[in-house]
């Protein structure tokens, strides 16, 4: 790809495109979660959401049902990214690697879906929703290692990047793509992301079961 000519690979990485691919796959889950939360927000504004809450099934079922659809959509989008990576950037990996990548997508999709669902259920007004979610999207992605390693960030931003769940997810996505051992840092990031996902689920479940205005 053309950007290989002017974007050098980080230390220890053979090609920048392989480094960036993991970031793209992580962003797939982030963007799908954002769009899904907007559907929640739109339904609340139109009144359809309030009607859904009268249906004879637990509200948690609605939350988890949309997650299953989002997971399917994320896997499909990631598969298309994998095909594009092979055709356009000459990145080819074994089926085992792709299976590991797709498994990493599941907690990533769940965490961001629950996170953005909380925002959709709590924010009121289109301006508040779009301003807040857009600001979060930009901040979390640029203060992370989506486009470049944390070591390339200014020193005063590195601590924030290491505390960013996007960084944890990117590192976990890069592990099967770039290879190497599942290091202590990756283990900590995996545990931290699972905690983030569970906390986001609890908040989303509470917001969904709380009185809705």
């Amino acid at each position: 790809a053309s950007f290989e000519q002017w974007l050098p690979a980080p230390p220890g990485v053979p090609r920048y495109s392989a480094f960036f691919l993991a970031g793209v796959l992580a962003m797939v889950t982030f963007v799908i979660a954002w769009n899904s939360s907007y559907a929640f927000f739109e339904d609340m504004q139109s009144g359809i959401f309030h009607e859904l809450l009268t249906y004879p099934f637990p509200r948690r079922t609605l939350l988890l049902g949309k997650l299953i659809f989002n997971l399917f959509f994320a896997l499909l989008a990631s598969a298309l990214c994998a095909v594009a990576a092979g055709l356009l950037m000459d990145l080819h990996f074994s089926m085992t690697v792709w299976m590991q990548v797709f498994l990493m997508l599941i907690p990533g999709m769940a965490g961001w879906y629950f996170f953005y669902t909380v925002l959709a259920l709590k924010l009121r007004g289109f301006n508040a929703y779009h301003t807040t979610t857009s600001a979060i999207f930009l901040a979390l992605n640029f203060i992370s290692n989506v486009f470049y390693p944390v070591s390339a960030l200014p020193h005063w931003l590195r601590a924030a990047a290491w505390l960013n769940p996007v960084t944890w997810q990117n590192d976990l996505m890069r592990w099967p793509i770039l290879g190497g051992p599942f290091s202590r840092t990756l283990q900590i990031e995996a545990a931290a992301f699972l905690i983030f996902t569970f906390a986001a689920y609890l908040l989303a479940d509470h917001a969904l079961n709380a009185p809705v205005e």
Side-chain angles (χ1 to χ4, degrees):
S2 60
F3 59 73
E4 296 269 13
Q5 301 174 7
W6 55 274
L7 282 175
V13 178
R15 294 174 58 189
Y16 177 79
S17 54
F19 178 88
F20 184 58
L21 174 61
V24 170
L25 294 174
M27 287 180 67
V28 164
T29 64
F30 202 94
V31 172
I32 291 175
W34 186 4
N35 289 335
S36 179
S37 76
Y38 184 68
F40 259 132
F41 181 80
E42 275 282 314
D43 289 345
M44 289 190 66
Q45 301 303 306
S46 65
I48 296 175
F49 181 77
H50 297 78
E51 181 181 344
L52 286 174
L53 297 182
T54 66
Y55 290 177
F57 54 74
R59 296 183 181 185
R60 186 177 294 111
T61 303
L62 176 63
L63 183 68
L64 298 179
K66 288 174 71 70
L67 172 61
I68 293 174
F69 172 78
N70 285 343
L71 284 172
F72 172 78
F73 196 34
L75 290 173
L76 177 60
S78 298
L80 292 176
C81 287
V83 172
L87 294 176
L88 302 178
M89 296 187 291
D90 196 31
L91 288 174
H92 303 283
F93 303 99
S94 68
M95 184 58 65
T96 300
V97 168
W98 284 119
M99 289 300 296
Q100 291 175 326
V101 169
F102 292 153
L103 285 175
M104 293 292 181
L105 284 172
I106 296 175
M109 183 71 257
W112 294 120
Y113 164 70
F114 294 137
F115 175 80
Y116 267 101
T117 295
V118 174
L119 297 179
L121 295 175
K122 291 298 185 181
L123 295 172
R124 296 293 179 265
F126 285 95
N127 289 337
Y129 173 83
H130 288 296
T131 301
T132 303
T133 55
S134 297
I136 289 174
F137 177 82
L138 291 173
L140 289 181
N141 278 281
F142 283 99
I143 307 176
S144 73
N145 59 354
V146 172
F147 305 104
Y148 29 69
V150 174
S151 59
L153 290 171
H155 288 281
W156 56 275
L157 272 181
R158 292 179 188 177
W162 282 119
L163 295 175
N164 185 348
V166 174
T167 296
W168 310 337
Q169 185 185 11
N170 286 329
D171 282 343
L172 292 170
M173 296 291 287
R174 288 188 178 110
W175 168 61
I177 291 176
L178 301 181
F182 196 68
S183 65
R184 180 68 173 173
T185 298
L186 288 172
Q187 294 173 30
I188 293 173
E189 289 179 322
F193 197 88
L194 289 176
I195 292 171
F196 163 75
T197 300
F198 184 65
Y201 165 73
L202 293 178
L203 291 173
D205 184 60
H206 179 267
L208 192 61
N209 284 281
V212 179
E213 300 177 3

